[in-house]
Amino acid sequence: MSSEQTPDPTLSAAEEAEPRPARVTAAAAIAAVEGLALVVGGAWMLVGGLTGHPADRTAAVTGGVTLLVLALLPLLAARGLIRLRGWSRGPAVITQVMALPVAYNMVGADGVAVPAGIALGVVAFAALYMLINPETTLALGIRGPGNAGKRS
């Protein structure tokens, strides 16, 4: 077995010794809540499509499965952020960018969707701010362009 496949106990201890910035924890929590909301929405659509009488059963089932698959992105990103993995910022940012047009469309709707859209937009912008913050970048070990070979 190579050293790449064997976990290094000193590395885990070093990672645990560094405190996780509050911004990273908050961004992970937001991504996790968004992922769970997609799971709930997808399950609701899927169960409704299979047991109810939707106008288009195929569309309801497809929409439910799509939401369940889309839920993987923010859930994996949240897990990576909690573990301070550098790769997790990309999926977390993508999740927030995808939430912005959804929020915009919800604000243009009627009824309860308007305040929900406003809340989603505010949360997505807040998460984006936390994810691009230099403190988050440093905590995740992300180096800027041209700094890939440099040690910090």
Side-chain angles (χ1 to χ4, degrees), residues 59-95:
V61 170
T62 303
V65 170
T66 301
L67 286 180
L68 289 173
V69 171
L70 283 174
L72 292 174
L73 186 68
L75 291 174
L76 288 172
R79 184 171 188 233
L81 287 170
I82 286 294
R83 294 179 173 200
L84 295 176
R85 302 291 192 248
W87 61 262
S88 61
R89 188 172 82 159
V93 168
I94 290 168
T95 299

Side-chain angles (χ1 to χ4, degrees), residues 50-132:
L50 294 174
T51 61
H53 301 290
D56 186 359
R57 184 176 308 270
T58 304
V61 170
T62 303
V65 170
T66 301
L67 286 180
L68 289 173
V69 171
L70 283 174
L72 292 174
L73 186 68
L75 291 174
L76 288 172
R79 184 171 188 233
L81 287 170
I82 286 294
R83 294 179 173 200
L84 295 176
R85 302 291 192 248
W87 61 262
S88 61
R89 188 172 82 159
V93 168
I94 290 168
T95 299
Q96 304 316 315
V97 169
M98 288 178 7
L100 292 174
V102 173
Y104 179 79
N105 284 330
M106 290 173 75
V107 169
D110 292 330
V112 92
V114 174
I118 292 170
L120 178 60
V122 167
V123 166
F125 276 119
L128 280 170
Y129 171 76
M130 288 182 258
L131 288 166
I132 63 172

